[in-house]
Amino acid sequence: MKAGLFSLACISLLRFAASQPQHHIHHHHAKRAQDVVTDVVTQVDNQTFEFEDVIVYVDDAGEPVSTTTVYKNQVQPTAALGTYSNPPAIPAPAPAPASSSPVIAPAASSQPALSPSPVPQPTQSMAPAQSRSPSSSGGSSSSGPGFSSGISYTPYNADNSCKSTSQVAQDFSKISGYGLVRLYGSDCNQVANVIAATKGSVSLFIGIFDINSIQSEVQTISQAINGDWSQVNTVSVGNELVDSGKASASQVVAAVGTARSALKSAGYNGPVVTVDTMNAMKNNPSLCTASDFCAINCHAFFDGNTLPSGAGDFVKGWTQQVSQAAGGKTVVVTESGWPTQGDTNNKAVPSQENQDTAIASLKASFSSNLVLFNAFDDMWKQPGAFNAEKFWGILGTSPG
């Protein structure tokens, strides 16, 4: 028998054409910033798959008598997970309107098996486990995060002056039911004043605000707590520095390392993190890697397509996306709330009723590791985005 070799070149060419890269373009809009920032991120990864050549054997009359399949490697592009900054879809079971951020999908392939792999969407089962132990990457040991409830507080009068010890005490006479208080800096003697006002009954999430003054801020904090670090749950280094463009991710990572060393020398061995928006954290996983847990500020109001009743699911969806981008690391929400006054942002309407609904939704979605924003209205701030920046106070106007 004489064998003839026929290669099915047309099949190979068609499948090779289906394997060419398809670009995914995603947009994101920075949350809780006065300037809207739009980033476009495009990335293509490669994945190996096999296609086949078929060898057909024929007899002397040219009739096929048998075939053999030979597999060869080819490269197929796939979208890489964790590199895009599109807002996440609201996870089940409480769907919310889809984000306004456009997503250009790849063209469908005539060979479904060879089409680019879709980006997995987060599900409830992907939520990071809540733990009172920090990630091993930071090398610290402490009781944080793991707090049951938290609220943020700022010690400034409407004229930007510092509140006195008695004013801070007045404020905290109205604050109750929270196990943790987040402070953004060490100025105005705020750490010592809050400890005095609460009589040490709450844990503190203390901020180093200026990454160019780490040593002096660590010294100020150490003196304020009188060397008793047991009152401190976490120390943060910077707030939304990458999202605001005030520092690069590498600069913030270096600052976290410097702060950790300075704090250790001062006797503190608990979690050290940097705080940024959910977009900045997802797009810069190094911020999470450098921290003992991922700390994000996330506000459903700025999405514009989320009703206050869906605030909890919106924020939960983002914690899952950030955790996934950071290899499963625990995510703590260090700011989330809803304004009572300001301009409407599409479907998001500022009002007292909507704030109450949003806070209830957040509490239903998070039994721990959530810091509500903010204790009182911040009349010292500029109007900000949607003229709402002053009016996030859960307890309204400060009595102090």
Side-chain angles (χ1 to χ4, degrees):
M1 177 186 299
K2 180 173 66 176
L5 177 62
F6 293 92
S7 175
L8 301 184
C10 60
I11 296 177
S12 300
L13 288 173
L14 286 172
R15 296 191 177 184
F16 180 75
S19 73
Q20 299 311 297
Q22 312 240 4
H23 296 290
H24 301 240
I25 301 176
H26 302 260
H27 301 272
H28 91 270
H29 302 280
K31 309 301 178 187
R32 207 165 178 274
Q34 296 184 23
D35 298 323
V36 176
V37 180
T38 303
D39 293 340
V40 178
V41 180
T42 305
Q43 178 168 331
V44 177
D45 288 345
N46 290 328
Q47 175 180 341
T48 300
F49 73 93
E50 294 181 332
F51 76 96
E52 65 271 9
D53 275 345
V54 180
I55 299 174
V56 182
Y57 293 90
V58 299
D59 57 20
D60 292 336
E63 295 295 327
V65 294
S66 65
T67 63
T68 299
T69 302
V70 177
Y71 292 92
K72 298 182 179 180
N73 288 333
Q74 197 55 266
V75 176
Q76 172 187 7
T78 60
L81 181 63
T83 60
Y84 306 127
S85 51
N86 56 302
I90 303 304
S99 168
S100 60
S101 300
V103 177
I104 301 176
S109 168
S110 60
Q111 299 291 334
L114 304 179
S115 60
S117 302
V119 177
Q121 294 299 311
T123 62
Q124 291 291 349
S125 63
M126 296 165 65
Q130 304 296 342
S131 169
R132 293 185 64 84
S133 299
S135 167
S136 59
S137 67
S140 302
S141 61
S142 140
S143 61
F147 50 87
S148 59
S149 61
I151 194 167
S152 59
Y153 175 77
T154 54
Y156 310 112
N157 293 308
D159 62 359
N160 276 283
S161 62
C162 296
K163 288 190 174 183
S164 65
T165 300
S166 61
Q167 285 179 299
V168 173
Q170 278 184 288
D171 284 346
F172 276 88
S173 69
K174 301 297 183 182
I175 300 174
S176 62
Y178 297 96
L180 177 139
V181 173
R182 182 187 176 192
L183 304 176
Y184 292 82
S186 59
D187 60 327
C188 294
N189 200 35
Q190 60 182 289
V191 175
N193 285 343
V194 170
I195 290 175
T198 61
K199 298 179 173 57
S201 62
V202 298
S203 296
L204 299 179
F205 191 116
I206 301 177
I208 295 175
F209 186 78
D210 185 0
I211 64 173
N212 296 311
S213 304
I214 290 174
Q215 294 293 343
S216 62
E217 289 210 39
V218 168
Q219 183 177 4
T220 299
I221 294 169
S222 182
Q223 292 172 347
I225 65 172
N226 197 26
D228 182 9
W229 291 101
S230 66
Q231 304 167 86
V232 181
N233 179 283
T234 299
V235 176
S236 62
V237 183
N239 183 65
E240 298 186 1
L241 294 179
V242 174
D243 184 85
S244 65
K246 294 178 181 178
S248 67
S250 60
Q251 288 174 318
V252 174
V253 167
V256 171
T258 299
R260 182 176 282 115
S261 297
L263 288 162
K264 186 174 182 180
S265 296
Y268 175 71
N269 294 303
V272 180
V273 302
T274 188
V275 177
D276 222 305
T277 64
M278 68 282 200
N279 284 306
M281 279 288 173
K282 181 182 176 184
N283 295 332
N284 300 275
S286 61
L287 299 176
C288 281
T289 302
S291 303
D292 288 307
F293 54 83
C294 305
I296 65 170
N297 295 342
C298 184
H299 298 278
F301 173 79
F302 291 107
D303 175 59
N305 288 302
T306 301
L307 296 173
S309 59
D313 284 335
F314 176 87
V315 176
K316 178 67 77 174
W318 268 106
T319 65
Q320 293 164 355
Q321 288 230 351
V322 171
S323 177
Q324 192 173 24
K329 205 160 191 175
T330 297
V331 177
V332 173
V333 180
T334 46
E335 270 189 23
S336 197
W338 196 278
T340 57
Q341 297 182 47
D343 300 332
T344 295
N345 177 22
N346 198 12
K347 295 180 180 179
V349 180
S351 73
Q352 183 62 61
E353 180 182 0
N354 284 346
Q355 184 189 70
D356 293 342
T357 300
I359 297 302
S361 175
L362 288 163
K363 288 181 176 180
S365 294
F366 293 87
S367 60
S368 63
N369 294 340
L370 168 70
V371 178
L372 294 174
F373 181 84
N374 189 31
F376 300 104
D377 288 339
D378 284 327
M379 303 311 295
W380 55 275
K381 290 184 176 181
Q382 295 298 311
F386 302 101
N387 292 306
E389 192 69 12
K390 296 181 179 182
F391 306 111
W392 293 71
I394 296 171
L395 301 175
T397 303
S398 163

